Amino acid sequence: MTDLRNYISTHSLGSPLQAAAGEAILALSDAAAQIATLIREPDSSADFAAAQGSANADGDTQKALDVICDEIVASALAAAGVSTYLSEEREEPVSMDKDGLVIVACDPLDGSSNIDTNLSIGTIFSLLPAATGPLQPGRNQLASGFFVYGPQTTLLLTMGEGVHAFQMDASGVFHLLDWAVSIPAQTSEFAINAANARFWHAPAAAYVADCIAGAEGSRGRDFNMRWLGSLVADSWRIFRRGGVFLYPGDRRAGYSEGRLRLIYEAAPVAFLVEQAGGRATDGKNAIMDIVPEFLHQRVPFMFGSDTEMEEIIRHHS
Ligand code: F6P
Ligand code: MN
């Protein structure tokens, strides 16, 4: 079986920049292995879901595990020659190696409202060339991916040549799975937090109403709905069997641009989605083309199966 180190060595021989990206991915996989072990082992002194008192850079309440994971990722990257670390959990960029070639943007612990529910959580990352600074469009990404800490600990990775999936063994090594990752173009499954329905703008509301009308409505077939409240877990499902995910902007205070962050949540997932044949949009623009104006910027985020995304984009035009 090919492990992640072998996989990377065959994909990043080309340039010093690619080699640096490969080092950063291996460091992230070490961090992920530490996180997976930490959350799996019983420890009566650890309350990972406890609020930390402070809110993170975007106003979400930080949980103890958010902070621990951020520290694990930061120390793994500091030893891997990374130029700058951008984290959901830190207000400002962290400068690391002045000669480093890559920036790593990261959501160290995605889905933290699921920590104490034994549902899947994960780590999302995006690698950018350091030469062009922290505020770059997703199109510039050298690599992106996310780890899922669930029944299996897994990694979905793109280095710009398709998407590959890995699964961690008991010793913390990630092995390439025999899965040609490709999002089915057609789907009858959507994911959205329906509790916000009364706040949605017309395009998302109309799209979801059509899905719910099912066989009796204009779509002429029934749909199914899934929402885990954990972007990594909802995404993994969509890569596996198709589907669409919507976190649109809505009328709640602070949600005009939805909830998800462009640089370290939407852009890395969008890179994977495009590489797997799907589409990712804010309704009008490809997520990959949006140039961020600030680090913790939010973006309406919709992605998934290509044909179904056309329907969503049609509602927005
Ligand atoms: O990181 C933000 C996040 O936890 C995602 O993992 C998830 O998709 C979303 O928020 C859930 O948001 P809500 O709680 O509003 O449904
Ligand atoms: Mn997140």
Side-chain angles (χ1 to χ4, degrees), residues 25 28-29 32 121-125 145-149 154-155 174 232:
I25 294 165
L28 286 160
S29 80
I121 50 185
T123 299
I124 310 173
F125 60 90
F146 60 82
F147 299 90
V148 184
Y149 314 114
T154 54
L155 162 65
F174 285 81
V232 289

Side-chain angles (χ1 to χ4, degrees), residues 12-300:
S12 57
L13 287 176
S15 68
L17 189 56
Q18 282 175 320
E23 277 309 303
I25 294 165
L26 287 172
L28 286 160
S29 80
D30 288 344
Q34 286 178 55
I35 294 169
T37 305
L38 186 72
I39 58 186
R40 194 171 46 217
E41 301 296 334
D43 177 354
S44 56
S45 69
D47 181 2
F48 291 145
Q52 281 301 80
S54 59
N56 70 16
D58 201 42
D60 289 348
T61 306
Q62 272 179 327
K63 308 277 177 65
L65 192 60
D66 283 316
V67 177
I68 295 167
C69 292
D70 176 63
E71 279 159 9
I72 291 173
V73 171
S75 43
L77 294 177
V82 165
S83 146
T84 308
Y85 173 50
L86 311 175
S87 168
E88 172 173 359
E89 306 306 331
R90 300 182 190 231
E91 197 79 49
E92 300 291 339
V94 179
S95 297
M96 290 184 161
D97 186 331
K98 65 174 177 28
D99 300 318
L101 298 178
V102 299
I103 295 170
V104 177
C106 187
D107 178 353
L109 191 74
D110 176 63
S112 49
S113 67
N114 285 325
I115 290 171
D116 51 357
T117 67
N118 198 18
L119 281 171
S120 296
I121 50 185
T123 299
I124 310 173
F125 60 90
S126 163
L127 271 58
L128 293 156
T132 20
L135 300 179
Q136 309 181 44
R139 217 37 96 197
N140 286 9
Q141 289 172 101
L142 304 163
S144 78
F146 60 82
F147 299 90
V148 184
Y149 314 114
Q152 306 144 356
T153 296
T154 54
L155 162 65
L156 213 52
L157 173 68
T158 182
M159 297 174 76
E161 294 172 345
V163 178
H164 289 101
F166 300 80
Q167 184 172 342
M168 196 183 84
D169 68 17
S171 66
V173 173
F174 285 81
H175 299 275
L176 183 64
L177 295 178
D178 181 17
W179 168 24
V181 184
S182 165
I183 302 176
Q186 317 273 352
T187 185
S188 296
E189 199 160 74
F190 66 99
I192 193 166
N193 184 341
N196 301 322
R198 73 185 188 283
F199 302 112
W200 294 337
H201 300 297
Y207 169 74
V208 173
D210 286 353
C211 293
I212 292 173
E216 281 124 63
S218 63
R219 302 302 305 275
R221 66 182 199 272
D222 289 334
F223 280 72
N224 186 34
M225 203 280 278
R226 285 285 180 274
W227 182 257
L228 296 167
S230 176
L231 175 62
V232 289
D234 279 313
S235 299
W236 189 276
R237 184 191 62 250
I238 289 169
F239 282 93
R240 254 300 178 205
R241 68 175 191 219
V244 289
F245 174 102
L246 301 92
Y247 210 123
D250 66 49
R251 278 189 287 274
R252 287 173 296 163
Y255 283 81
S256 65
E257 302 304 309
R259 173 172 184 143
L260 296 166
R261 278 52 61 106
L262 175 57
I263 293 181
Y264 43 79
E265 292 182 315
V269 172
F271 191 14
L272 291 162
V273 166
E274 286 198 2
Q275 287 289 319
R279 253 199 260 190
T281 176
D282 68 355
K284 301 245 182 268
N285 314 291
I287 294 292
M288 292 282 278
D289 292 329
I290 301 173
V291 182
E293 287 166 21
F294 56 96
L295 176 53
H296 299 290
Q297 184 172 332
R298 296 183 182 207
V299 70

